[in-house]
């Protein structure tokens, strides 16, 4: 009799008698003997892997001294590790449960989730009884949860995605999972069963947004349902196995008050930026990878008036604008035949025909920079975008390089004139050594002198050192009064000039 038939018979017996059906006193000897060897071997292999991955006494001795809150962090890590501890016979149990589930549901994706979860619980109980495994109620509940996550969800990633403190998830093959928490990277005590298991989870993610990943197309960008950004690269390009990176964003978008509280910028800087956005200045948010550009762009976009038509253009839709009149465009990769690709540049060109009041480009990284500059110079002022760069001056050089990538045969002088006429404000962000994120400069483009674009810092962040806990010490300072104040006043967004002359007090630098 198959496992599925036994579960059905057990349910019928319970329905007739009102009591759970009694299981066999002991499983058939031949089946138990066949499973015993495999189970023992699997358990010994997992124990050997855990011992090999455990840090040596020397490594423990070299670990940094415990900082404030180390007891809470240690307890949290212990609970997470306990929750991810896999039963020695987990692979055997999951295999039998999955096989029995597929016997009843030919297409699991079409069945109601509640029904599947209940069925998985029944099948898990039957398998445990069949293998004569006795575990506590909590362990059984955790085992069922792990099986549900593997079959219906994203496996070991499910618990990570429910943790609001985790901002980045990095999977380096099936055996390594790292997370970023409060700006610092930690190894996470979980793993995938195999490369195939990890690939199943990846396929589940990318297929949900109509994309694919295989050997012919081994790189892909996608997103989760909550808007988290996903990047995947698989063999043969990733030599150590499928590599998955998930950039998470807050479920409730951060506001400017949050950024001020985090120490990302000061209230005076926020006041100036708000006037610039509402006064239809063109802004570029620049910074390195993971510096918080998208978060800041989201906050700046929130100041766009509700009566304006906004067109957002991104590779993967991440912006969370609260306005009603928003058109969201997303690029499309080529299909399996190598056709049908629609890039950011094509979307920017098309957006000009959509009567936008504002154009918000998630990131300029190529020839679309030329079309973005032209849009800013042809009546679509007040637009915003982000650029990868290390300083405001580097941002100008990057924009010039990206314009050349468009294939336009333009002299450098013409490109620089275009940049000077289009860009008004550069907001430079950085991720500091302690993992905190700061707006390290707000700079104004003040014209073109015939050779180079003139740039003037308005606010800067100066780092002074590190405290005993390794946190950055520094402060924000006003440097100069922007030349755009009369223009902002004319647009109905006056700014008190005093905030650009009075020395700014050092911000209390708490970890972001």
């Amino acid at each position: 009799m198959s496992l599925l038939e036994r579960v059905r018979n057990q349910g019928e017996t319970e329905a007739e008698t009102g009591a759970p059906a009694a299981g066999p006193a002991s499983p058939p000897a031949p089946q138990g003997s066949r499973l015993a060897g495999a189970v023992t071997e699997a358990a010994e292999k997992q124990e050997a892997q855990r011992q090999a991955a455990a840090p040596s006494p020397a490594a423990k001795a070299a670990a940094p001294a415990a900082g404030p809150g180390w007891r809470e962090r240690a307890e949290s890590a212990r609970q997470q590790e306990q929750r991810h501890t896999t039963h020695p016979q987990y692979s055997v149990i999951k295999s039998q449960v999955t096989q029995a589930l597929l016997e009843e549901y030919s297409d699991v994706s079409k069945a109601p989730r509640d029904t599947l979860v209940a069925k998985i619980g029944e099948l898990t109980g039957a398998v445990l009884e069949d293998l004569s495994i006795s575990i506590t109620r909590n362990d059984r509940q955790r085992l069922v949860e792990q099986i549900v996550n593997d079959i219906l969800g994203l496996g070991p990633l499910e618990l990570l995605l429910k943790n609001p403190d985790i901002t980045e998830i990095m999977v380096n093959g099936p055996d390594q999972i790292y997370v970023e928490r409060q700006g610092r990277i930690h190894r996470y005590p979980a793993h995938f069963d195999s490369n195939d298991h990890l690939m199943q989870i990846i396929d589940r993610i990318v297929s949900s947004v109509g994309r694919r990943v295989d050997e012919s197309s081994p790189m892909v960008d996608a997103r989760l349902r909550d808007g988290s950004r996903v990047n995947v690269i698989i063999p043969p390009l990733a030599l150590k196995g499928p590599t998955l990176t998930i950039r998470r964003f807050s479920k409730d978008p951060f506001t400017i008050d949050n950024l001020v509280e985090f120490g990302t910028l000061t209230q005076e800087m926020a006041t100036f930026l708000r006037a610039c956005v509402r006064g239809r200045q063109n802004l570029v948010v620049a910074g390195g990878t993971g510096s918080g550009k998208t978060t800041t762009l989201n906050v700046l976009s929130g100041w766009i008036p509700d009566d304006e038509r906004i067109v957002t253009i991104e590779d993967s839709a991440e912006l969370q604008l609260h306005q009603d009149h928003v058109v969201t465009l997303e690029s499309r990769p080529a299909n399996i035949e190598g056709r049908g690709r629609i890039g950011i540049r094509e979307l920017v060109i098309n957006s000009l025909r959509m009567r936008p009041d504002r154009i918000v480009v998630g990131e300029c990284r190529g020839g679309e920079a030329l079309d973005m500059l032209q849009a800013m110079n042809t009546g679509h002022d007040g637009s915003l975008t982000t650029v990868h760069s290390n300083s405001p001056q580097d941002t100008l050089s990057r924009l010039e390089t990206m314009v050349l990538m468009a294939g336009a045969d333009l002299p450098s002088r013409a490109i620089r004139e275009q940049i000077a006429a289009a860009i008004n404000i550069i907001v430079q962000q950085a991720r500091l050594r302690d993992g905190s994120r700061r707006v390290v400069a707000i700079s104004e483009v003040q014209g073109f002198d015939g050779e180079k674009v003139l740039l003037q810092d308005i606010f800067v962040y100066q780092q002074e050192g590190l405290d005993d806990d390794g946190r950055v010490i520094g402060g924000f300072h006003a440097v100069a009064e922007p030349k755009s104040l009369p223009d902002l006043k004319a647009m109905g967004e006056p700014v008190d000039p005093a905030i650009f002359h009075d020395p700014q007090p050092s911000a209390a630098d708490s970890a972001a």
Side-chain angles (χ1 to χ4, degrees):
M1 183 181 297
S2 69
L3 174 63
L4 186 59
E5 291 172 342
R6 289 200 300 275
V7 171
R8 286 174 176 166
N9 292 342
Q10 180 179 351
E12 293 173 357
T13 303
E14 292 177 0
E16 294 174 358
T17 64
S26 61
Q31 185 180 16
S33 61
R34 283 196 306 269
L35 289 173
V39 167
T40 303
E41 183 179 353
E44 292 176 351
K45 183 177 179 180
Q46 288 189 358
E47 181 62 26
Q49 291 175 345
R50 282 195 296 269
Q51 291 178 359
S56 63
K60 292 180 179 179
W70 68 271
R71 294 182 185 275
E72 292 79 1
R73 293 196 299 270
E75 176 64 18
S76 175
R78 186 192 66 79
Q79 292 176 355
Q80 291 170 350
E81 184 168 3
Q82 180 183 14
R83 202 166 185 186
H84 278 291
T85 300
T86 303
H87 193 279
Q89 303 177 15
Y90 177 75
S91 297
V92 177
I93 298 171
K94 189 182 80 167
S95 176
Q96 292 195 21
V97 170
T98 303
Q99 182 179 356
L101 191 67
L102 293 177
E103 290 179 9
E104 182 164 347
Y105 299 96
S106 57
D107 189 350
V108 175
S109 62
K110 294 182 180 180
R113 181 179 176 86
D114 293 341
T115 302
L116 292 174
V117 171
K119 180 58 67 175
I120 289 173
E122 294 178 13
L123 294 173
T124 301
V127 171
L128 292 175
E129 180 183 342
D130 195 36
L131 298 177
S132 295
I133 298 175
S134 178
I135 58 177
T136 65
R137 186 172 184 176
N138 289 338
D139 288 341
R140 175 171 173 170
Q141 182 179 357
R142 187 164 58 248
L143 180 64
V144 172
E145 182 182 4
Q146 289 176 341
I147 295 176
V148 169
N149 289 339
D150 281 343
I151 296 177
L152 305 180
L154 302 182
L157 303 181
E158 284 288 343
L159 290 178
L160 301 180
L161 294 171
K162 294 177 182 178
N163 188 338
D165 295 331
I166 292 176
T167 55
E168 194 112 22
I169 302 171
M170 296 150 279
V171 181
N172 308 331
D175 299 321
Q176 287 187 348
I177 299 179
Y178 289 88
V179 299
E180 182 189 73
R181 188 186 296 110
Q182 296 181 344
R184 296 185 179 273
I185 296 177
H186 308 273
R187 178 76 178 267
Y188 202 76
H191 61 86
F192 293 85
D193 296 341
S194 62
N195 276 335
D196 291 340
H197 182 206
L198 176 54
M199 281 304 303
Q200 289 175 6
I201 301 301
I202 289 174
D203 287 335
R204 201 170 292 165
I205 293 174
V206 300
S207 62
S208 66
V209 292
R211 301 192 176 183
R212 63 183 180 85
V213 60
D214 50 38
E215 289 188 1
S216 64
S217 179
M219 297 184 296
V220 68
D221 289 318
R223 68 179 184 276
L224 300 180
R225 293 180 180 177
D226 62 359
S228 299
R229 178 196 308 167
V230 178
N231 175 266
V232 175
I233 182 168
I234 65 172
L237 301 185
L239 302 184
K240 294 186 178 181
T243 302
L244 172 67
T245 308
I246 301 176
R247 172 75 57 80
R248 302 192 61 213
F249 300 101
S250 175
K251 185 176 181 181
D252 298 320
F254 288 134
T255 65
I256 191 61
D257 292 334
N258 296 133
L259 297 190
V260 172
E261 180 184 353
F262 297 156
T264 303
L265 76 173
T266 64
Q267 188 61 55
E268 291 77 10
M269 297 164 70
T271 299
F272 175 61
L273 291 178
R274 180 183 182 278
C276 289
V277 173
R278 297 187 65 85
R280 302 188 68 85
Q281 299 282 295
N282 293 320
L283 276 75
V284 174
V285 181
T289 301
S291 60
K293 298 186 300 297
T294 302
T295 298
T296 299
L297 182 63
N298 220 21
V299 171
L300 297 179
S301 301
W303 283 323
I304 298 175
D306 292 333
D307 59 351
E308 296 187 11
R309 176 175 169 88
I310 308 169
V311 177
T312 68
I313 303 171
E314 303 172 84
D315 273 328
S316 295
E318 300 166 357
L319 295 175
Q320 299 169 289
L321 274 64
H322 62 78
Q323 293 90 339
D324 291 330
H325 201 168
V326 178
V327 179
T328 302
L329 305 181
E330 187 178 63
S331 64
R332 185 180 71 183
N335 59 20
I336 194 171
E337 298 175 351
R339 302 176 181 176
R341 180 183 181 275
I342 305 294
I344 294 291
R345 186 177 186 188
E346 289 79 10
L347 294 178
V348 171
I349 295 173
N350 186 80
S351 69
L352 300 179
R353 308 186 186 103
M354 299 174 65
R355 200 265 177 216
D357 289 308
R358 309 268 187 147
I359 300 175
V360 181
V361 178
E363 180 179 344
C364 280
R365 59 165 67 97
E368 62 270 10
L370 173 60
D371 303 288
M372 188 69 192
L373 292 175
Q374 290 178 334
M376 291 176 172
N377 277 326
T378 54
H380 300 93
D381 48 350
S383 297
L384 303 97
T385 187
T386 71
V387 172
H388 274 88
S389 66
N390 296 324
S391 68
Q393 189 64 50
D394 186 38
T395 300
L396 300 176
S397 300
R398 285 273 297 149
L399 286 170
E400 185 175 345
T401 301
M402 288 188 289
V403 169
L404 293 174
M405 292 170 64
D409 189 15
L410 297 174
S412 295
R413 180 187 178 93
I415 297 174
R416 292 170 186 171
E417 287 179 346
Q418 185 98 310
I419 293 173
I423 305 299
N424 300 117
I425 300 293
I426 297 176
V427 181
Q428 186 70 40
Q429 292 220 190
R431 183 175 181 270
L432 304 184
R433 182 175 177 179
D434 61 354
S436 62
R437 292 160 173 88
R438 296 286 186 273
V439 173
V440 295
I442 296 178
S443 304
E444 182 183 47
V445 177
Q446 296 187 338
F448 180 66
D449 66 358
E451 293 185 2
K452 62 181 180 179
V453 179
L454 301 178
L455 201 62
Q456 174 62 55
D457 289 337
I458 306 302
F459 292 97
V460 296
Y461 178 82
Q462 294 181 349
Q463 181 176 335
E464 301 169 359
L466 301 175
D467 64 13
D468 294 338
D469 294 325
R471 291 179 295 187
V472 171
I473 300 174
F476 296 97
H477 303 279
V479 177
E481 181 178 321
K483 291 184 177 181
S484 58
L485 290 185
D487 295 333
L488 294 177
K489 184 178 181 180
M491 293 293 294
E493 298 294 335
V495 180
D496 185 1
I499 68 174
F500 306 104
H501 297 287
D502 294 339
Q504 301 299 312
S506 297
D509 282 68
S510 57

